[in-house]
Amino acid sequence: AVRGSRVVWRQAWQRGAGGLGPAPRGQPAVARNARGRAQPAGKCGLAPWVPVVGLEVHAQISSNSKLFSGSQVQFSAPPNSLVSFFDASLPGTLPVLNRRCVEAAVMTGLALNCSINKKSLFDRKHYFYADLPAGYQITQQRVPIAVNGSLSYSLCIDNKMSQMVTKTVRIKQIQLEQDSGKSLHDDTRSQTLVDLNRAGVGLMEVVMEPDMCCGEEAAAAVRELQLILQTLGSSQAVMAEGQLRVDANVSVHHPGEPYGVRTEVKNINSLRFLAKAIDYEIQRQIEELENGGTILNETRAFDSKLGCTVPMRDKEGKQDYRFMPEPNLPPLILYDAKSLPANINHQQVVNIDWIHERLPDLPSVKRAKLVEHYGILPEHSFALLNEDGLTEFFEAVVKQTQMRPKKVIGWILNDLLSYLKQHSLTIKESPVSSSSLADLLNLLENKEISSTAAKQVLAELWKGEGKSPLEIVKEKKLELMQDQNQLEEICQAVIDGQENE
């Protein structure tokens, strides 16, 4: 639904085609295949292939109203129930910029190490689509609100959590723009209906440079961005609700040669599908070129059922977006402590320094604090933050038990999480509360039960019958026997029984 910054990506790929040599900064020196491993020479005997992956990420801004109108923003509201005159593009209506959306974009730019432009501009990008009533989208093409940032992310080597590598992808720019509506296809009646509830909702488009080489890297980068957005509160970034959508730009070339022709895979709304779509597209392009074919500069979609990408339309080379300055919006002016005019109403301006001072701890800082405070392994800190609510659950259990955090983390990640994944539940939906798990671990730590018995108790707690761990232990007679005389009597009885036989 969202048409991204085509010109930005064209410039990025032209830099590669201009003969700058192999991969850009952040890309491995050796060629990799779709799984991120070394790619063997092709059938033609030429050098290995180097995949190049860049992303355009569209994040819906957390705001009560839309970017340029007062219409409410609400997921799954009845169709066309949240549409103002401006959203429907009635003649004579004018845009009014939402301050909250500007602050969210500045906050995100600062978190991604961007330079914030104190003066940014709005542009019109023209194209006809049924769910875009005005026939153009208001975006920031020439001078966006933030530029030249970076995002660090970590990923496992060969799926081993103990072997992690940190990489960095450059952020080209972050721009404010309005979302389009949704086209609803009714196959039964052979018609398409349009819902304009989403039309005009504020978006941040985060344009990443082509610094990645496989689906795994792209998914890791987007996951880290998702965590940052959720931590900031600038976007809920729930992919299942369309609040975070990704366009992937993919090409392959031989080392030392210009970048190949790229394709764009549009509107991917799942991290798993993102990785699969990119890996499939890399392999498809390699096979096409090795068989003597050519890669078309086209837009493709990922079919999750078939596990492949399929053509949608030719790329923007045959389109004219007729970018022009937005005549109804003046330049967006931001301030910092030095440039803030005296005797100005602070409610009427956005102060970059004021926002910077109030940034919360980002995921990377949270992980470092978890490792330092609890003595857990770095890879465990990633696991805690990657599951929404798991860090809070872990800390609640630690507060209520005498067991060392290093042992607590094992029970949560190895045992409780396996139950959750088997039943496709989140930690917030877990039938085992933090207090129940803490009571169970206390019984184990005090040597009242064995670890084998503790796993039995956890299985019973999972049934959600409301019994406490101690009640289950007594009911199942799982206590460890502490009385030495009693133990000796049992042993003697067993020996006597053997002698009688």
Side-chain angles (χ1 to χ4, degrees):
V2 180
R3 286 90 198 164
S5 251
R6 308 283 192 261
V7 172
V8 171
W9 271 107
R10 190 184 302 117
Q11 291 169 347
W13 250 261
Q14 282 172 347
R15 286 198 298 276
L20 291 184
R25 188 182 73 189
Q27 187 163 315
V30 296
R32 301 281 173 177
N33 66 7
R35 296 292 298 170
R37 300 185 177 88
Q39 173 73 18
K43 297 175 185 176
C44 57
L46 297 176
W49 294 98
V50 178
V52 179
V53 178
L55 304 175
E56 299 167 10
V57 184
H58 302 91
Q60 190 179 106
I61 298 171
S62 291
S63 173
N64 293 328
S65 56
K66 296 181 180 180
L67 182 57
F68 298 119
S69 79
S71 295
Q72 185 182 353
V73 176
Q74 179 186 335
F75 178 71
S76 73
N80 295 311
S81 62
L82 305 174
V83 185
S84 70
F85 291 156
F86 177 79
D87 303 330
S89 301
L90 296 187
T93 56
L94 295 173
V96 179
L97 184 58
N98 183 334
R99 176 194 176 104
R100 159 63 188 165
C101 293
V102 174
E103 292 176 336
V106 171
M107 192 184 309
T108 304
L110 292 171
L112 295 177
N113 309 302
C114 291
S115 297
I116 307 299
N117 284 324
K118 293 181 183 177
K119 179 181 178 180
S120 58
L121 306 174
F122 287 97
D123 304 283
R124 287 187 180 182
K125 175 185 177 184
H126 294 81
Y127 57 87
F128 174 77
Y129 214 71
D131 53 21
L132 193 75
Y136 62 84
Q137 176 192 45
I138 301 178
T139 182
Q140 291 187 307
Q141 182 62 37
R142 295 167 296 156
V143 186
I145 195 168
V147 294
N148 300 332
S150 63
L151 170 66
S152 295
Y153 60 97
S154 298
L155 66 159
C156 307
I157 299 175
D158 294 328
N159 294 322
K160 294 179 182 177
M161 282 296 292
S162 58
Q163 298 181 31
M164 303 191 74
V165 61
T166 299
K167 298 195 173 188
T168 300
V169 57
R170 291 169 292 157
I171 305 296
K172 172 70 178 177
Q173 65 187 54
I174 299 175
Q175 60 196 50
L176 282 167
E177 61 185 29
Q178 57 182 169
D179 207 343
S180 59
K182 292 174 68 175
S183 294
L184 309 174
H185 304 290
D186 186 345
D187 294 332
T188 304
R189 297 186 176 93
S190 299
Q191 62 183 4
T192 296
L193 306 176
V194 177
D195 179 9
L196 294 181
N197 280 348
R198 201 177 67 184
V201 169
L203 293 178
M204 293 176 288
E205 180 176 351
V206 182
V207 182
M208 298 182 186
E209 296 277 18
D211 292 347
M212 292 162 281
C213 68
C214 64
E216 184 183 10
E217 286 191 11
V222 172
R223 176 55 179 154
E224 186 69 11
L225 175 62
Q226 185 181 40
L227 288 173
I228 289 173
L229 294 172
Q230 292 170 344
T231 299
L232 296 173
S234 57
S235 173
Q236 295 178 22
V238 179
M239 299 190 80
E241 296 182 5
Q243 295 167 352
L244 195 72
R245 311 192 292 276
V246 185
D247 300 339
N249 295 270
V250 182
S251 73
V252 298
H253 67 279
H254 290 300
E257 294 183 359
Y259 286 1
V261 176
R262 67 183 175 93
T263 60
E264 181 182 38
V265 186
K266 292 286 292 183
N267 287 335
I268 308 170
N269 61 357
S270 154
L271 293 177
R272 186 164 58 91
F273 292 163
L274 175 64
K276 285 186 174 182
I278 291 173
D279 288 345
Y280 174 86
E281 186 60 20
I282 290 171
Q283 203 59 41
R284 183 191 72 83
Q285 292 188 20
I286 290 173
E287 291 175 1
E288 182 74 24
L289 292 170
E290 289 186 341
N291 289 325
T294 58
I295 303 301
L296 300 177
N297 183 217
E298 62 182 351
T299 298
R300 301 176 70 89
F302 180 67
D303 188 320
S304 57
K305 293 181 180 178
L306 298 177
C308 65
T309 63
V310 293
M312 289 176 63
R313 58 180 180 269
D314 288 340
K315 283 293 293 177
E316 73 283 351
K318 296 182 180 179
Q319 302 179 32
D320 180 8
Y321 288 104
R322 291 181 293 115
F323 283 105
M324 60 173 281
E326 168 54 55
N328 294 324
L329 285 168
L332 173 59
I333 307 298
L334 308 178
Y335 299 90
D336 57 17
K338 293 180 180 178
S339 63
L340 192 65
N343 303 319
I344 195 169
N345 184 347
H346 292 272
Q347 297 299 318
Q348 300 299 316
V349 299
V350 173
N351 188 329
I352 300 169
D353 290 339
W354 187 87
I355 293 174
H356 192 274
E357 291 169 1
R358 285 158 179 77
L359 285 179
D361 285 345
L362 297 178
S364 57
V365 177
K366 288 183 178 180
R367 294 188 194 102
K369 287 185 175 180
L370 285 169
V371 171
E372 181 181 357
H373 185 68
Y374 295 108
I376 62 177
L377 297 173
E379 55 265 28
H380 290 162
S381 69
F382 277 90
L384 286 178
L385 258 69
N386 276 340
E387 296 286 339
D388 185 30
L390 193 58
T391 301
E392 293 77 11
F393 187 92
F394 164 73
E395 292 182 323
V397 174
V398 169
K399 286 178 182 177
Q400 300 173 75
T401 183
Q402 298 112 32
M403 183 176 282
R404 290 184 301 121
K406 277 187 176 182
K407 293 177 68 176
V408 172
I409 196 76
W411 278 89
I412 290 177
L413 297 183
N414 297 330
D415 296 279
L416 184 60
L417 265 190
S418 66
Y419 278 110
L420 292 172
K421 288 177 180 177
Q422 285 173 20
H423 296 84
S424 300
L425 297 176
T426 66
I427 190 66
K428 295 176 181 178
E429 299 169 324
S430 171
V432 182
S433 66
S434 59
S435 57
S436 291
L437 183 59
D439 290 343
L440 171 59
L441 298 183
N442 280 332
L443 291 174
L444 179 60
E445 188 69 10
N446 294 331
K447 294 184 169 51
E448 296 181 43
I449 57 175
S450 66
S451 59
T452 303
K455 292 183 185 295
Q456 289 181 251
V457 174
L458 181 60
E460 292 296 319
L461 287 173
W462 184 261
K463 296 177 181 178
E465 297 175 351
K467 298 176 184 177
S468 71
L470 185 58
E471 289 172 340
I472 295 172
V473 167
K474 291 182 176 179
E475 182 182 300
K476 301 288 184 180
K477 297 181 180 179
L478 298 173
E479 306 99 326
L480 284 174
M481 200 169 291
Q482 305 291 342
D483 189 335
Q484 185 173 345
N485 292 330
Q486 190 176 3
L487 281 170
E488 289 178 355
E489 289 177 5
I490 293 174
C491 291
Q492 189 61 52
V494 172
I495 292 170
D496 293 343
Q498 293 295 323
E499 288 177 350
N500 293 335
E501 290 179 3

Coordinates of all heavy atoms in Angstrom, one line a residue, residues 16 45 58 92 98 128 212 226 228 241 264 277 285 291 295 353 395 429 443:
G16 N 26.6 1.9 -6.5 CA 27.3 0.6 -6.7 C 27.6 0.4 -8.2 O 28.6 -0.1 -8.6
G45 N 31.4 -21.0 -14.2 CA 32.8 -21.0 -13.7 C 33.3 -19.7 -13.2 O 34.5 -19.5 -13.0
H58 N 8.4 0.9 6.8 CA 7.3 1.8 7.1 C 6.7 1.5 8.4 O 6.1 0.5 8.6 CB 6.3 1.8 6.0 CG 6.8 2.0 4.6 ND1 7.2 1.0 3.8 CD2 7.0 3.1 3.9 CE1 7.7 1.5 2.7 NE2 7.5 2.8 2.7
G92 N -10.9 22.0 -1.2 CA -10.9 23.1 -0.2 C -10.3 22.7 1.1 O -10.1 23.5 2.0
N98 N 0.5 17.2 12.5 CA 0.4 16.7 13.8 C 1.7 16.7 14.6 O 2.7 16.1 14.2 CB -0.1 15.2 13.7 CG -0.4 14.5 15.0 OD1 0.2 14.9 16.1 ND2 -1.2 13.5 15.0
F128 N -1.7 7.4 -9.4 CA -3.1 7.1 -9.2 C -3.3 5.7 -8.6 O -2.7 4.7 -9.1 CB -3.9 7.1 -10.6 CG -5.3 6.6 -10.5 CD1 -6.3 7.5 -9.9 CD2 -5.6 5.4 -10.8 CE1 -7.6 7.0 -9.8 CE2 -7.0 4.9 -10.7 CZ -7.9 5.8 -10.2
M212 N 23.3 -5.1 3.7 CA 23.1 -6.5 4.2 C 23.2 -7.5 3.1 O 23.2 -7.1 1.9 CB 21.7 -6.6 4.9 CG 21.6 -5.8 6.2 SD 19.9 -5.4 6.7 CE 19.5 -4.1 5.6
Q226 N 12.4 -2.8 15.4 CA 11.1 -2.9 16.1 C 11.2 -2.7 17.6 O 10.3 -2.0 18.2 CB 10.6 -4.3 15.7 CG 9.1 -4.6 16.2 CD 8.7 -6.0 15.9 OE1 9.5 -7.0 15.9 NE2 7.5 -6.2 15.5
I228 N 13.4 -1.0 19.2 CA 13.7 0.4 19.5 C 12.4 1.2 19.4 O 12.2 2.1 20.3 CB 14.8 0.9 18.5 CG1 16.1 0.3 18.8 CG2 14.9 2.4 18.6 CD1 17.2 0.6 17.8
E241 N -0.6 -6.3 12.6 CA -1.6 -5.3 12.4 C -1.2 -4.3 11.4 O -1.9 -3.2 11.3 CB -1.9 -4.6 13.7 CG -2.5 -5.6 14.8 CD -2.8 -4.9 16.1 OE1 -2.7 -3.7 16.2 OE2 -3.2 -5.6 17.0
E264 N 12.4 -5.4 -6.1 CA 11.8 -5.0 -4.8 C 10.7 -5.9 -4.4 O 9.8 -6.2 -5.2 CB 11.3 -3.5 -4.9 CG 10.7 -3.0 -3.6 CD 10.1 -1.6 -3.7 OE1 9.5 -1.3 -4.8 OE2 10.3 -0.8 -2.8
A277 N 11.6 -14.5 2.0 CA 11.5 -13.8 0.8 C 12.8 -13.3 0.2 O 13.1 -13.5 -1.0 CB 10.6 -12.6 0.9
Q285 N 17.5 -15.1 -8.4 CA 18.3 -14.3 -9.3 C 19.6 -15.0 -9.7 O 20.0 -14.9 -10.8 CB 18.7 -12.9 -8.6 CG 17.4 -12.0 -8.4 CD 17.8 -10.7 -7.9 OE1 18.9 -10.2 -8.0 NE2 16.8 -10.0 -7.3
N291 N 21.7 -19.4 -15.6 CA 21.1 -20.1 -16.8 C 21.0 -19.2 -18.0 O 20.3 -19.5 -19.0 CB 19.7 -20.5 -16.4 CG 19.7 -21.7 -15.4 OD1 20.6 -22.5 -15.5 ND2 18.8 -21.7 -14.4
I295 N 17.7 -10.3 -15.1 CA 16.9 -9.9 -14.0 C 16.1 -8.6 -14.4 O 16.7 -7.6 -14.8 CB 17.7 -9.6 -12.7 CG1 18.5 -10.9 -12.4 CG2 16.8 -9.2 -11.6 CD1 17.7 -12.1 -12.1
D353 N 16.8 19.1 21.6 CA 17.5 18.8 22.8 C 16.6 18.3 23.9 O 17.0 17.4 24.7 CB 18.3 20.0 23.3 CG 19.4 20.3 22.4 OD1 19.9 19.4 21.6 OD2 19.9 21.5 22.4
E395 N 12.4 -10.8 35.9 CA 12.8 -10.0 37.0 C 11.8 -10.2 38.2 O 12.2 -10.2 39.3 CB 12.8 -8.5 36.6 CG 14.0 -8.1 35.7 CD 14.1 -6.7 35.3 OE1 13.0 -6.0 35.2 OE2 15.2 -6.1 35.2
E429 N 0.3 -14.6 28.2 CA -0.8 -15.6 28.2 C -0.5 -16.8 28.9 O -1.3 -17.8 29.0 CB -1.2 -15.9 26.7 CG -1.6 -14.7 25.9 CD -1.7 -15.0 24.4 OE1 -0.8 -15.8 23.9 OE2 -2.6 -14.5 23.7
L443 N 11.2 -24.3 46.2 CA 11.2 -25.7 46.6 C 12.4 -26.4 46.1 O 13.0 -27.2 46.9 CB 9.9 -26.4 46.1 CG 8.6 -25.9 46.7 CD1 7.4 -26.6 46.0 CD2 8.5 -26.2 48.2

